Amino acid sequence: MKYRPLFIISFLLITVLSMAQSKDTLSFKYCSVCKNQNKSFGRKLLQGIGLSWGYQSIALSILYASPKSFSGWEKPNAVLYRKNLKRAFTHPPIIDHDPWYVNYVGHPYQGAAYFNSYRSQGAQFWQAGLLSVAHSCIWEYLLEGGNEQPSIQDLIVTPIVGSLLGEGIHQATMAMSRNGFKWYEGIFVSIFNPMYAINNGFKPKRTQPANP
């Protein structure tokens, strides 16, 4: 279907934003239970980098362990990796032909994880968004670039759609956190906002909205 990716992305964004709006907490500054909200940006940066690199390491390991029919990658080879890495930096990115669920579900989820590794610490929206761009470029050029040419779609969809999706998920998480998480809300957050769960846990805490 020609418009399937657009439909999927729109559905995801509308769903999570609706969840936040229904609780009347939609605010780019609302992060009342973020444990690091009053820490320095440098502290948030270091923790976010560690979480994002950990996420990337897991994703890279899964792709290397997957059959070539799924990843499209050859077995790890230092010579081939260097050759592909050089090409990644000397040739423009390309339009890839990965399945729609990889490009338009997997990559927004990946971008949302980068975004919320910072946002769930109380970083501002623009800070988390710019860092999501940085991690997306690291993935495309330094990690994936040793195995395949950087993708135009991924360089756009991962940070931009990922940040929008990540903000919607963040707002929904904040709405759930106001009176403590119900068991099914904890499952939702664990799946869709694991960075929040790692950074903050699920301890009930009723607070008023506060600036990050």
Side-chain angles (χ1 to χ4, degrees):
M1 293 175 60
K2 183 178 180 181
Y3 298 106
R4 178 184 287 171
L6 181 60
F7 173 79
I8 292 170
I9 290 171
S10 299
F11 176 78
L12 290 172
L13 291 174
I14 290 170
T15 299
V16 293
L17 288 171
S18 296
M19 289 176 65
Q21 185 64 60
S22 67
K23 300 271 187 159
D24 194 28
T25 61
L26 192 58
S27 165
F28 283 95
K29 293 184 177 181
Y30 186 82
C31 191
S32 61
V33 294
C34 297
K35 291 182 179 178
N36 288 340
Q37 65 176 2
N38 295 320
K39 301 290 186 181
S40 68
F41 179 71
R43 173 69 174 80
K44 297 172 185 176
L45 179 65
L46 288 175
Q47 184 152 324
I49 288 174
L51 288 173
S52 294
W53 284 0
Y55 177 93
Q56 290 177 331
S57 297
I58 293 172
L60 198 65
S61 299
I62 291 173
L63 287 170
Y64 275 134
S66 301
K68 184 181 177 181
S69 59
F70 176 77
S71 67
W73 295 359
E74 301 291 343
K75 291 187 178 296
N77 180 299
V79 174
L80 182 61
Y81 190 91
R82 287 196 299 269
K83 179 181 177 181
N84 288 337
L85 197 62
K86 180 179 179 180
R87 179 178 174 82
F89 282 92
T90 56
H91 291 74
I94 61 172
I95 297 289
D96 73 43
H97 299 286
D98 290 341
W100 62 267
Y101 53 83
V102 172
N103 281 338
Y104 303 108
V105 176
H107 278 280
Y109 180 89
Q110 183 177 0
Y114 298 152
F115 178 89
N116 278 319
S117 66
Y118 301 96
R119 190 72 167 118
S120 65
Q121 298 184 71
Q124 296 185 33
F125 175 86
W126 67 269
Q127 294 170 331
L130 287 178
L131 288 163
S132 181
V133 172
H135 285 298
S136 298
C137 290
I138 289 171
W139 173 263
E140 289 295 318
Y141 280 92
L142 295 180
L143 301 177
E144 198 173 46
N147 300 283
E148 62 181 53
Q149 193 65 7
S151 160
I152 293 174
Q153 301 106 298
D154 297 348
L155 286 167
I156 295 172
V157 170
T158 304
I160 296 177
V161 178
S163 293
L164 294 174
L165 179 63
E167 179 64 21
I169 293 172
H170 171 75
Q171 295 292 342
T173 302
M174 292 300 98
M176 296 173 192
S177 73
R178 295 182 71 182
N179 298 305
F181 294 91
K182 298 179 176 63
W183 67 268
Y184 53 86
E185 293 173 336
I187 292 174
F188 172 89
V189 173
S190 296
I191 295 172
F192 293 102
N193 198 358
M195 296 301 184
Y196 173 90
I198 294 171
N199 279 325
N200 302 294
F202 295 101
K203 185 177 179 180
K205 181 181 179 182
R206 184 181 180 91
T207 58
Q208 297 299 319
N211 292 342

